[in-house]
Amino acid sequence: MSIDTASIPFNRPCLGGPEYAYVANAVERMHLSGDGSFTHACHAILEQVSGAAKALLTTSCTHALEMSGLLLELKPGDEVIVPAFTFVSTVNAYVLRGAHPVFADVRADTMNLDERQLESLITPRTKAIVVVHYAGVACEMDAILEIARRHGVPVVEDNAHGLFGSYRSRPLGSFGVMATQSFHETKNIQCGEGGALLLNDPSLVRRAEILREKGTNRAAFFRGAVDKYTWVDVGSSWLPSDMLAAFLLAQLEAREAIQAKRRAVWDRYQASLAGWASDHGVRLPTIPAHCDHPSHMFYMVLPDLAARTHFISHLRAQQIHAVFHYQALHLSPMGRSLGGRDGQCPVTEMASDCLVRLPLWNDLPTADQDRVIEAVRSSM
Ligand SMILES: *Cc1c(COP(=O)(O)O)cnc(C)c1O
């Protein structure tokens, strides 16, 4: 192993097309604040691909989740069912409103909220069910929506991984009353920091616009629907600059090329590692036949924590950066303070110890993919 081998980062943000030209154009127009023409163009694409009644760009997926907490009108003591295996923001957004998170374990095949346990977690205080389509592979939405409907509980999709994914040919992000997207630089489509709230229930649109504009009816004013704008509700400032939207628009317009590149890397990993994985007790991602995934991440589940620690250092010795996530949220200091207990979500606890992600980004060169595949095969 030569020491001057260039390192292969876990992620590298990639340009999709005319990002520079669009940002320059936003600067020339001197519309630098939010909700300019680039933002509106992004909204149109997001509405087209998801079928949402309204898309609103936000400063992050975290902020879109916070908006969902306000739109659900959560009060202290309300319960929100969340997967224990997810990013902090999926849960923190509701804890911020005083709600109590009820942690659901995930399925061992897809790492998605286990719909078979869902009904046992519902109580008269349950005010929402939040699902995460892990790695962009859909949760079992037929079963989840049926249970939610029977109990009159709204579903929110944290679709940070799942833009362009589908379940029974229907786009992810179109199942919940609302869904959130992330355009953080680690996601398929990115602008550094950014997100969106997709509203599938049209009755939420007006309030969402107000919350995002500091509690004012500024959006209605610009549409000419009111003759002055004023403070009408709570809110904050959750709209990104139109310069960021310009960058994002270039990425969204290049979505087919970006997705094709990612699919090629994902498929190559899968084809090259399937035999090795089954020989070594390693599990590769499970993609149910009724799910189309957007090649957001390639993960592997190793036999135990020691095997994962060895695996990551074996790759690191060859300058390849593989990473793990998520630490079981119910066992984090905050999760424990909210009542989380050891053994409460066994699959999540296993995944926290055993799951690892391989480098995957749009322009990952073929030669680097080969180096990753070789390093994985020589790890055990
Ligand atoms: C990335 C991510 C988020 C947070 O996204 P930001 O845009 O960085 O706030 C939330 N949930 C999930 C599942 C994520 O992967």
Side-chain angles (χ1 to χ4, degrees):
M1 188 76 251
S2 71
I3 26 183
D4 61 353
T5 307
S7 78
I8 303 177
F10 168 67
N11 178 63
R12 178 176 286 163
C14 300
L15 297 182
E19 282 87 347
Y20 285 120
Y22 283 12
V23 172
N25 187 287
V27 173
E28 280 155 20
R29 291 180 196 205
M30 274 299 156
H31 186 116
L32 305 181
S33 57
D35 276 342
S37 55
F38 286 105
T39 302
H40 292 133
C42 291
H43 289 171
I45 292 178
L46 290 171
E47 286 159 13
Q48 182 217 317
V49 302
S50 69
K54 184 79 193 112
L56 293 171
L57 289 194
T58 57
T59 32
S60 64
C61 182
T62 301
H63 282 161
L65 287 161
E66 287 177 23
M67 286 180 69
S68 77
L70 282 162
L71 287 167
L72 290 166
E73 303 187 58
L74 296 174
K75 292 178 308 299
D78 288 345
E79 293 175 357
V80 177
I81 298 176
V82 291
F85 190 67
T86 183
F87 188 65
V88 177
S89 299
T90 317
V91 182
N92 195 52
Y94 308 107
V95 174
L96 260 180
R97 305 260 64 82
H100 182 73
V102 175
F103 292 106
D105 205 359
V106 293
R107 296 172 57 109
D109 54 356
T110 57
M111 303 296 163
N112 284 329
L113 187 143
D114 192 339
E115 73 284 356
R116 295 160 299 193
Q117 300 178 15
L118 179 58
E119 192 143 29
S120 69
L121 301 174
I122 294 178
T123 77
R125 288 194 297 274
T126 306
K127 289 292 150 50
I129 297 164
V130 183
V131 299
V132 176
H133 306 296
Y134 183 73
V137 179
C139 297
E140 283 305 327
M141 294 313 295
D142 285 347
I144 291 170
L145 291 177
E146 191 275 320
I147 294 167
R149 200 172 301 122
R150 206 148 26 76
H151 291 270
V153 177
V155 172
V156 177
E157 297 170 83
D158 177 346
N159 196 34
H161 302 176
L163 186 61
F164 313 132
S166 65
Y167 174 80
R168 301 194 194 285
S169 305
R170 185 170 147 192
L172 301 187
S174 70
F175 291 91
V177 288
M178 50 196 145
T180 64
Q181 304 295 154
S182 175
F183 303 117
H184 185 263
E185 73 168 37
T186 51
K187 303 304 197 299
N188 291 24
I189 300 287
Q190 56 93 20
C191 62
E193 299 278 359
L197 182 64
L198 305 181
L199 298 152
N200 295 319
D201 176 350
S203 73
L204 297 172
V205 174
R206 227 183 81 81
R207 182 152 195 251
E209 289 177 338
I210 290 168
L211 298 175
R212 179 168 165 270
E213 273 282 19
K214 303 95 181 164
T216 72
N217 55 359
R218 194 165 191 265
F221 173 69
F222 278 115
R223 277 198 299 271
V226 292
D227 60 6
K228 55 186 174 305
Y229 88 86
T230 185
W231 186 25
V232 294
D233 201 336
V234 296
S236 190
S237 185
W238 281 313
L239 63 173
S241 160
D242 217 47
M243 284 188 289
L244 274 178
F247 190 103
L248 183 64
L249 181 63
Q251 294 255 315
L252 283 169
E253 287 178 347
R255 61 194 178 278
E256 279 176 23
I258 289 172
Q259 289 302 110
K261 287 179 183 184
R262 295 187 78 95
R263 190 168 313 119
V265 179
W266 198 100
D267 288 350
R268 197 137 179 275
Y269 279 155
Q270 161 70 33
S272 312
L273 294 173
W276 170 85
S278 71
D279 289 347
H280 291 85
V282 171
R283 193 175 73 66
L284 300 187
T286 304
I287 316 293
H290 51 286
C291 300
D292 275 327
H293 74 101
S295 309
H296 173 55
M297 73 167 86
F298 194 91
Y299 70 86
M300 310 194 306
V301 183
L302 302 196
D304 54 34
L305 176 59
R308 186 180 72 181
T309 306
H310 166 79
F311 178 88
I312 290 175
S313 61
H314 178 82
L315 265 62
R316 186 153 290 241
Q318 299 174 52
Q319 310 269 38
I320 297 167
H321 297 262
V323 303
F324 61 82
H325 76 171
Y326 297 107
Q327 290 303 288
L329 281 179
H330 62 294
L331 301 182
S332 64
M334 187 68 184
R336 283 187 192 274
S337 81
L338 293 161
R341 307 175 318 278
D342 292 288
Q344 182 184 349
C345 299
V347 179
T348 296
E349 293 168 35
M350 177 282 296
S352 286
D353 284 349
C354 302
L355 185 141
V356 62
R357 303 166 62 189
L358 298 183
L360 173 49
W361 28 280
N362 310 348
D363 295 332
L364 181 63
T366 312
D368 285 354
Q369 295 169 38
D370 289 338
R371 266 179 65 200
V372 174
I373 291 162
E374 242 346 277
V376 170
R377 284 191 181 140
S378 64
S379 70
M380 52 171 111

